[in-house]
Amino acid sequence: GYQVWPREVEEVLIKHPKVLEAGVAGVPDPYRGETVKAWVVLKPGQTASEEEIRNFCKENMAPFKVPTQVEFRAELPKTTVGKILRRELVRQHKEANP
């Protein structure tokens, strides 16, 4: 049971040269109970692998904070003022992975 703050992980992800924006939240995990998942939007024309993003995180944060899953998206759900809707990302994850 470690505490991982989504904002902390997002700040590291945004420092990656290919990442435009990122959302991070805890999602259900059969082994751990909950695990860190990142949803990433890449800058136009960029490509990256899940492994590349995870390796960048491993170099810049504690091992238990590194996302175990990385999902690439064209855009992230946001409020009218532009704040990323983490709850919506988790809901979509649960629907896709019952």
Side-chain angles (χ1 to χ4, degrees), residues 6-64:
R7 183 83 189 130
E8 201 176 344
V9 181
E10 290 168 356
E11 286 173 2
V12 171
L13 286 166
I14 291 168
K15 290 178 184 172
H16 189 288
K18 296 180 180 179
V19 174
L20 179 63
E21 58 186 1
V24 174
V27 294
D29 180 84
Y31 177 71
R32 294 184 181 103
E34 195 171 67
T35 191
V36 179
K37 180 171 180 176
W39 291 266
V40 174
V41 177
L42 296 174
K43 291 179 180 173
Q46 297 290 340
T47 57
S49 67
E50 182 174 350
E51 184 181 354
E52 180 182 347
I53 299 297
R54 285 178 38 94
N55 286 339
F56 180 81
C57 289
K58 285 177 187 175
E59 294 170 8
N60 294 287
M61 68 176 75
F64 69 90

Side-chain angles (χ1 to χ4, degrees), residues 63-91:
F64 69 90
K65 295 179 184 180
V66 174
T68 57
Q69 302 172 35
V70 177
E71 182 180 316
F72 295 99
R73 293 251 178 129
E75 61 183 16
L76 298 175
K78 295 181 186 154
T79 65
T80 53
V81 294
K83 185 177 176 190
I84 295 169
L85 289 168
R86 293 186 188 109
R87 276 192 312 261
E88 179 62 19
L89 290 168
V90 172
R91 186 189 68 73

